[in-house]
Amino acid sequence: MGECPLLEAIFVQIDINEYERENEYRKLIENYEGKAEHLLAIMQDVQKQYNYLPRLAIQLISDYVGTPVSRVYAMASFYKAFSLVPKGRYVFRVCDGTACHIKNSETLLDRLYQQLGIKAGETTADGMYSVETVNCLGACALAPVMVVNGKVHGKVSPGEVERIVKEYGGQNHGS
Amino acid sequence: MEAKVYKDDRQTVLVCCGTGCTANGGREVFRAFQKRLENHPEMEVLPVIKATGCNGWCEKGPLVRLMPRDITYCSVAEKDVDEIVDKTLLEGVLIKRLLYRDPVSKEHLTSHHLTDFYRKQHKIALRNIGEIDPGQINDYIEREGYQALKKALQDMDGQAVIDAVKTAGLRGRGGGGFPTGSKWQSCRDAKGEPKYIICNGDEGDPGAFMDRSIMEGDPHTVIEGMILGAYAVGATHGYIYVRDEYDLAVQYLGQAVKDARQQGYLGSNIMGSELSFDIELVRGGGAFVCGEETALMASIEGRTGEPRDKYVYPTEKGLWGKPTIINNVETWANVPVIILHGAEAFAAIGTEKSKGTKVFSLVGKVVNTGLVEVPMGTTLREIIYEIGGGVLKKRRFKAVQTGGPSGGCIPASLLDLPIDFDSLTEAGSMMGSGGLIVMDDHTCMVEVARYYVNFLAGESCGKCTPCREGIRAMLEILTDICNGKGKLEDLQLLEDISATMQEASLCALGRTAPNPVLSTLRYFRDEYIEHIENRFCPAGICRELTTFYIDPEKCTGCTLCMKSCAVNAITGEKKQVHVIDESSCIRCGECYRTCNFDAIKLARRDRHEN
């Protein structure tokens, strides 16, 4: 993990291969009128599609909406929904809302670390798995909760983590 | 208010498809019913969203209700569907094993309405949750939906609507408890066109999910409330700002807005009147501070969600500098009921200064988790013990946290406090959005304070210094205390920083951020001192201060702890005393919580190592 993801991302040059996707990006972006009030929605759609905001897409969004790149970056780094680096194919999101926290969601992270070799906020080197914590998913009655690519696993005991990781083929990934 | 969505001569199957039940396979059960009943046109299957957590049943979900007999089945699996259709629907025979069994009386109850959890509630905001299919506007209409709007358009002018909200004494359910009627009045009186209506659905408090449940389970009540607000102040455009993490809520709200438009409840000349109003959905970007109204408006305008100082209220200069009303989801859900059934009826419920009901999300170490709607003034004891069924595993109650990161922890000595907006503030906490998180003696209060401050450190927008730096400093101190590096004078320092933040922060996030620290210092100071002076965490949570050992007198050699250990630090033969290897133990405490014989003991880490 770098010191400042924002700085790192700004200095990233647009990879020449990214231009292959230019039309895909444009199609997503041009679903909206190019008004400033649609900036957030456009960025969310791109994030949803690619699991991060590609450097070229940011450039295109900035052109389309008519706002400086710096402002798109400001938004991207301010809101939690956005990532400037690619996420793994499978994202394990451990809820750390209060109800999950006092039911020891932290031990789930311990188990994920044992299985995948990564901590919250990290992605495995092969780009397959990411682990994140999220604030609250509003499923407090099922605490502790873990969501993998949108699938909710409720009342997860530490022992079950291995089985869930196995579902996505990631057992003993870290070792 | 008991209008029915199902027709009396038709059997209806209601399958819960809320977030909780979906996690347990509710959708699959729903599809299995659909498929099985294809050839039975005399019955219909409705997917119904239930408030997640109803009676803690989402853990036993998916829930299936059979109407009109009002039978509730728990933990229904796909394979049970045929049996339910053959036995219960066609022959009228109950399937005992799928019924809820009361843990106290051991009786099998046919309907969830018979349980203590439901009987002691009073539903206004949640009146339709679990009773209707949120994807069907006609379900809502059949349960008095859009009747309040009709009444207002026919018999009342805008001022009369505001007067009703004032008489009802409705206060904002999102946190501050500001009188809704006064807010609307100043927006109505403000100059400037157009005027805007906003629904704040950016429910960010960890541990609270009533707004999600309402948006998912009854989206039209929010829309009807907003239309009434628009009529009252003369607004033409509305926004619902909803957390993007709430997939189902986004989906159902989007559908509901479309349906309302199609049926003439939104758009030009609503129901043939002069009123024109439309609603747009905005998905939030995932920033807690956007629950603050000025930050939320900045976010809608397409900027980073930073709050501004409110020397001018949004009711005068809000969204794009125009007069704006912003209310929370639960507040909007109350409005149609007030207009339709009268302000007096609403004002008759609750306490002197807090009228009506409040929805709480009762979670944490409590037997029945879920959403609880009770009249204002109900005591914590009634909610936690009578409705919630007490603390899990009969452990000792330690505290209940209310109000999320802006709230505080309330100790056992205040269990008989009747709760409303003002009593909670006096106790050093806050109503907030209504999270009630029950904590037992396995919860460390210093760590809870650290948890909230850590949460806020990630969410402070950084615009003003007291909040940005104050939270960071508090986090450092609290982390030190949890790690056994605290000093007694730190406690005074925490209080000093808190006082500055309360005075000088720009928005409510910073001004209320010290509450979790101050309330735990006020009620659980001895626990802080235990951490500092004795380097011991009595709850066994702070890993740097804790070590575990097995009491050979009590260990039965059941091997449960061994199986629970993530790092294989526990060894021992079956029926022989087990031993924890300290060098490989990571002090997660899982064995301590698992042991049924109280054989795993806590000790000070340094003492044991020496």
Side-chain angles (χ1 to χ4, degrees):
Chain A
M1 288 290 280
E3 288 294 304
C4 170
L6 177 60
L7 269 182
E8 266 179 28
I10 288 176
F11 290 118
V12 168
Q13 295 295 311
I14 299 177
D15 184 342
I16 197 85
N17 295 321
E18 268 199 67
Y19 282 96
E20 285 175 14
R21 287 210 166 140
E22 186 176 342
N23 286 333
E24 277 180 42
Y25 296 161
R26 278 191 194 281
K27 231 169 137 186
L28 265 182
I29 295 167
E30 286 165 13
N31 275 332
Y32 294 85
E33 289 170 65
K35 285 193 202 157
E37 55 181 290
H38 298 128
L39 189 53
L40 190 60
I42 295 173
M43 291 169 70
Q44 279 166 331
D45 286 358
V46 174
Q47 168 77 35
K48 214 156 234 175
Q49 182 75 30
Y50 299 101
N51 252 335
Y52 80 116
L53 298 174
R55 178 68 181 82
L56 176 62
I58 288 174
Q59 188 67 52
L60 294 173
I61 293 170
S62 137
D63 293 345
Y64 186 67
V65 179
T67 193
V69 170
S70 60
R71 187 162 154 203
V72 183
Y73 273 121
M75 300 276 284
S77 56
F78 183 85
Y79 292 106
K80 260 213 189 80
F82 303 116
S83 168
L84 295 168
V85 288
K87 293 263 175 70
R89 187 187 296 174
Y90 301 110
V91 183
F92 290 77
R93 305 169 85 199
V94 177
C95 183
D96 195 28
T98 320
C100 291
H101 184 79
I102 65 166
K103 289 198 172 170
N104 307 294
S105 54
E106 217 178 324
T107 57
L108 303 186
L109 289 172
D110 289 341
R111 295 291 178 117
L112 282 173
Y113 179 70
Q114 281 169 1
Q115 292 293 321
L116 297 171
I118 47 172
K119 293 185 175 152
E122 296 178 351
T123 301
T124 54
D126 60 359
M128 285 295 283
Y129 306 98
S130 295
V131 173
E132 291 176 356
T133 55
V134 286
N135 283 340
C136 182
L137 293 162
C140 314
L142 297 177
V145 172
M146 182 161 90
V147 179
V148 190
N149 286 23
K151 187 174 176 199
V152 181
H153 299 266
K155 300 216 160 211
V156 182
S157 72
E160 271 174 302
V161 172
E162 192 179 338
R163 184 185 55 73
I164 295 169
V165 169
K166 220 173 180 172
E167 261 180 54
Y168 303 92
Q171 68 277 24
N172 304 319
H173 202 78
S175 51
Chain B
M1 223 188 281
E2 266 304 301
K4 300 277 196 291
V5 297
Y6 34 84
K7 318 209 168 35
D8 288 337
D9 52 336
R10 276 167 76 95
Q11 298 218 53
T12 306
V13 181
L14 302 148
V15 182
C16 174
C17 293
T19 303
C21 281
T22 305
N24 287 329
R27 287 263 158 210
E28 286 73 28
V29 172
F30 170 58
R31 277 194 288 267
F33 267 113
Q34 258 183 332
K35 202 164 162 238
R36 177 64 214 272
L37 295 178
E38 260 172 4
N39 304 322
H40 292 278
E42 74 278 13
M43 296 178 210
E44 79 186 301
V45 189
L46 290 176
V48 159
I49 303 293
K50 272 202 111 47
T52 351
C54 359
N55 209 3
W57 287 2
C58 34
E59 69 187 277
K60 291 177 194 153
L63 296 179
V64 172
R65 277 178 75 200
L66 306 174
M67 292 311 223
R69 290 181 59 200
D70 194 14
I71 298 166
T72 309
Y73 284 145
C74 317
S75 309
V76 177
E78 243 181 296
K79 62 175 171 50
D80 299 323
V81 169
D82 280 337
E83 194 183 344
I84 294 175
V85 174
D86 292 337
K87 281 203 178 149
T88 313
L89 287 182
L90 297 176
E91 291 174 27
V93 182
L94 284 174
I95 305 168
K96 226 173 171 183
R97 86 185 138 83
L98 295 174
L99 290 174
Y100 175 74
R101 192 154 173 249
D102 187 280
V104 182
S105 69
K106 309 282 180 212
E107 263 178 74
H108 288 88
L109 300 176
T110 50
S111 167
H112 64 281
H113 287 123
L114 301 172
T115 63
D116 279 352
F117 185 77
Y118 276 89
R119 278 188 316 172
K120 296 192 169 145
Q121 297 196 39
H122 185 122
K123 305 228 180 208
I124 295 178
L126 300 180
R127 64 195 180 282
N128 290 328
I129 311 281
E131 305 290 335
I132 63 168
D133 177 351
Q136 303 289 333
I137 188 169
N138 288 331
D139 275 17
Y140 179 66
I141 292 170
E142 283 184 46
R143 282 179 66 98
E144 302 181 331
Y146 293 108
Q147 290 300 311
L149 180 62
K150 194 172 156 197
K151 180 178 171 188
L153 290 175
Q154 280 176 357
D155 310 332
M156 301 164 91
D157 60 7
Q159 185 58 50
V161 172
I162 294 182
D163 291 341
V165 173
K166 279 185 184 165
T167 311
L170 181 65
R171 293 171 68 175
R173 271 20 177 184
F178 192 83
T180 307
S182 322
K183 194 189 257 187
W184 291 15
Q185 188 69 60
S186 52
C187 184
R188 183 180 164 89
D189 297 342
K191 290 192 177 60
E193 297 281 335
K195 289 175 181 171
Y196 294 101
I197 299 282
I198 299 176
C199 168
N200 183 348
D202 193 45
E203 182 172 57
D205 281 8
F209 57 102
M210 58 288 292
D211 292 352
R212 174 178 67 68
S213 173
I214 294 171
M215 292 187 287
E216 271 180 12
D218 193 13
H220 284 287
T221 188
V222 179
I223 293 171
E224 188 178 2
M226 290 175 71
I227 304 171
L228 287 164
Y231 181 62
V233 303
T236 51
H237 205 81
Y239 291 91
I240 302 177
Y241 189 92
V242 49
R243 273 183 87 188
D244 199 29
E245 287 92 328
Y246 288 176
D247 284 336
L248 268 183
V250 172
Q251 186 188 326
Y252 280 118
L253 278 171
Q255 177 74 37
V257 168
K258 227 166 82 188
D259 291 344
R261 217 176 268 150
Q262 209 168 29
Q263 301 231 10
Y265 297 118
L266 287 174
S268 308
N269 303 102
I270 292 169
M271 296 173 94
S273 72
E274 299 282 293
L275 176 66
S276 295
F277 177 69
D278 211 341
I279 291 177
E280 203 177 311
L281 218 61
V282 178
R283 290 170 293 151
F288 177 70
V289 68
C290 285
E292 201 282 337
E293 52 189 17
T294 58
L296 187 149
M297 289 186 287
S299 184
I300 293 181
E301 291 172 10
R303 293 184 283 125
T304 51
E306 286 172 1
R308 63 163 175 79
D309 207 350
K310 285 193 275 193
Y311 18 74
V312 182
Y313 279 109
T315 45
E316 285 172 46
K317 281 192 175 16
L319 194 61
W320 286 296
K322 302 293 180 191
T324 305
I325 302 182
I326 174 162
N327 278 124
N328 138 289
V329 173
E330 193 188 329
T331 315
W332 289 119
N334 276 300
V335 173
V337 179
I338 292 172
I339 299 300
L340 190 61
H341 295 281
E344 288 75 17
F346 188 87
I349 308 163
T351 61
E352 195 197 336
K353 286 182 177 162
S354 302
K355 300 297 186 190
T357 58
K358 177 75 191 87
V359 184
F360 294 99
S361 72
L362 183 62
V363 295
K365 308 274 183 75
V366 61
V367 176
N368 299 324
T369 52
L371 294 181
V372 176
E373 184 169 2
V374 288
M376 295 274 190
T378 306
T379 66
L380 284 169
R381 189 184 299 279
E382 285 171 272
I383 297 178
I384 295 167
Y385 285 92
E386 291 179 21
I387 297 175
V391 181
L392 263 185
K393 292 187 181 172
K394 299 213 160 76
R395 298 206 65 86
R396 190 172 61 81
F397 171 89
K398 191 184 222 174
V400 58
Q401 207 280 349
T402 75
S406 309
C409 294
I410 296 174
S413 59
L414 292 177
L415 268 175
D416 290 308
L417 186 76
I419 38 179
D420 63 18
F421 287 107
D422 311 298
S423 68
L424 283 174
T425 308
E426 262 167 51
S429 184
M430 204 175 150
M431 177 73 83
S433 53
L436 281 184
I437 297 135
V438 178
M439 300 174 177
D440 65 4
D441 53 358
H442 279 183
T443 315
C444 168
M445 301 317 288
V446 184
E447 208 278 335
V448 164
R450 196 200 65 85
Y451 163 80
Y452 279 112
V453 173
N454 183 48
F455 171 87
L456 290 164
E459 297 296 341
S460 169
C461 77
K463 186 173 176 176
C464 75
T465 318
C467 174
R468 183 187 64 230
E469 299 302 326
I471 289 176
R472 213 168 68 172
M474 286 204 296
L475 180 60
E476 271 176 35
I477 297 170
L478 289 167
T479 307
D480 275 352
I481 297 176
C482 288
N483 287 340
K485 294 175 191 150
K487 298 184 283 292
L488 268 184
E489 52 271 32
D490 284 345
L491 303 185
Q492 183 60 47
L493 188 56
L494 281 173
E495 281 164 345
D496 291 347
I497 295 171
S498 298
T500 307
M501 288 177 66
Q502 287 176 322
E503 196 68 32
S505 296
L506 187 59
C507 80
L509 188 150
R511 284 196 296 268
T512 58
N515 282 352
V517 181
L518 289 177
S519 67
T520 45
L521 272 173
R522 176 166 160 192
Y523 298 118
F524 301 95
R525 204 179 190 89
D526 50 340
E527 223 171 290
Y528 279 85
I529 293 172
E530 188 77 10
H531 278 69
I532 294 169
E533 289 203 320
N534 293 332
R535 307 259 180 263
F536 180 59
C537 173
I541 291 291
C542 298
R543 295 186 184 186
E544 293 299 317
L545 304 181
T546 310
T547 192
F548 299 94
Y549 67 95
I550 295 176
D551 181 350
E553 299 284 305
K554 289 195 166 172
C555 179
T556 62
C558 74
T559 73
L560 210 59
C561 59
M562 210 162 89
K563 286 177 194 144
S564 79
C565 183
V567 290
N568 300 322
I570 304 179
T571 48
E573 296 295 315
K574 211 172 174 175
K575 295 191 178 166
Q576 307 260 320
V577 172
H578 289 33
V579 182
I580 301 176
D581 170 28
E582 282 218 33
S583 59
S584 50
C585 174
I586 56 171
R587 287 152 189 101
C588 68
E590 201 50 39
C591 54
Y592 176 58
R593 289 182 289 270
T594 307
C595 182
N596 292 324
F597 304 98
D598 197 24
I600 303 206
K601 300 287 180 195
L602 279 180
R604 261 175 65 180
R605 187 157 170 187
D606 50 357
R607 182 196 290 161
H608 212 72
E609 274 168 1
N610 288 341

